[in-house]
Each structure stands twice: as C-alpha cells, then as structure tokens.
Amino acid sequence: MKFSNSVSSSRRKSRKAHFGSDSGARRKLMSANLSKELQARHGGVRSMPIRKDDEVIITRGMYKTREGKVTAVYRKKFVVHIERIHREKANGATVPVGIPASSLCITKLKMDKDRKNLLDRKAKGRAGKTKSDVEEVTMSNVD
C-alpha cells in the first residue's frame, strides 16, 4: 500500500537510488543499531552511521557473536571490515571479510564533536515520544 504520492514505490527506481547513491547517502544507509546500554545512555537513540574505530558485535551470519573494532567502512561495496575477521584465500593470503552494517550492533562509539551533536539532535527529536504516541500517529495514517 502506498502512503505518499511524492515517493515512488517502483522497485526499479528504488534499486537505482540505492546502488547509484553517492558516498554521503551511503554513509546513512550503512547505519547500525546501538547496544541497549548505548541506547539508554544517549536518550533512546537507536542507530548511528558506522565509522572506523567503533567497536561492534556481529549479530547475524557465520561470524555471529564475534566482537572487534571496525578497521574500514567500504562504502562502495556496502560492507564493513572488522579486525580479526579474516579468511584465507586458496593461495594462502588472508583477506578481510566484508560484513553488512545491518548485521552489526555498535557497543562502543568513537566520539568526536560532530558525532556528539548528531546524538544530541537525535535524542532531542525523540524526547517526549513514547511508544503509544508513535503507534497513535501511525494508526492515524492508515485510512
């Protein structure tokens, strides 16, 4: 069901926008959930764009429950490289395994002033919203 006439629901256009997106848009697409402790500490903010030097835990896939520090965010391929997550190639060389950002949970943030501002801005936007308010708004749009 389509809610907004200004947004296309075409699969073709959605894929073109996703795979043809620029680096700034990919940064936002490559967001990961914050751990429960970080959510509580930062006023209910649920996710953040991932960056190098964040500490993460893998929540899905073959490497589930492994922890490590982000060594690279490979926006071109939509993957994140994490320390100690490698595989061996046929010739014996080791290569980092790309993990999708959606399969990660951030356990420790690398803080700087821009990130602090983003957290404050997101927390301010969530202030005063409870689960019942959010459900009420979404149910009013159903008509």
Side-chain angles (χ1 to χ4, degrees):
M1 183 184 339
K2 189 166 180 180
F3 291 111
S4 173
N5 288 330
S6 61
V7 179
S8 174
S9 59
S10 164
R11 181 171 191 266
R12 178 183 183 179
K13 290 179 183 177
S14 295
R15 287 177 58 82
K16 183 177 182 186
H18 183 269
F19 294 110
S21 57
D22 61 331
S23 182
R26 286 180 188 224
R27 174 180 175 268
K28 193 165 185 181
L29 287 169
M30 293 181 68
S31 291
N33 290 336
L34 297 180
S35 67
K36 296 292 181 191
E37 299 84 45
L38 287 178
Q39 284 182 29
R41 190 183 316 154
H42 296 294
V45 177
R46 293 177 65 93
S47 66
M48 285 284 290
I50 201 146
R51 66 166 286 182
K52 188 177 173 179
D53 294 328
D54 281 347
E55 289 183 23
V56 295
I57 185 168
I58 302 172
T59 57
R60 288 176 191 80
M62 195 170 92
Y63 299 99
K64 187 175 181 173
T65 70
R66 299 270 300 270
E67 297 181 47
K69 188 180 274 195
V70 174
T71 56
V73 179
Y74 204 153
R75 291 184 188 166
K76 187 176 182 180
K77 291 186 175 180
F78 289 102
V79 295
V80 177
H81 293 161
I82 301 166
E83 67 181 7
R84 297 188 307 275
I85 309 287
H86 297 284
R87 67 184 300 266
E88 203 166 294
K89 289 173 48 171
N91 66 3
T94 60
V95 290
V97 177
I99 309 287
S102 60
S103 299
L104 302 173
C105 180
I106 301 173
T107 55
K108 188 176 178 193
L109 291 165
K110 179 167 196 291
M111 263 316 177
D112 58 10
K113 65 178 177 58
D114 294 326
R115 235 165 177 210
K116 182 80 177 116
N117 290 340
L118 177 61
L119 279 168
D120 292 342
R121 198 167 64 237
K122 284 181 128 184
K124 194 171 85 174
R126 291 186 64 89
K129 284 188 183 176
T130 62
K131 199 169 189 170
S132 60
D133 293 341
V134 174
E135 288 174 7
E136 211 171 277
V137 170
T138 56
M139 290 308 292
S140 66
N141 293 338
V142 170
D143 298 334

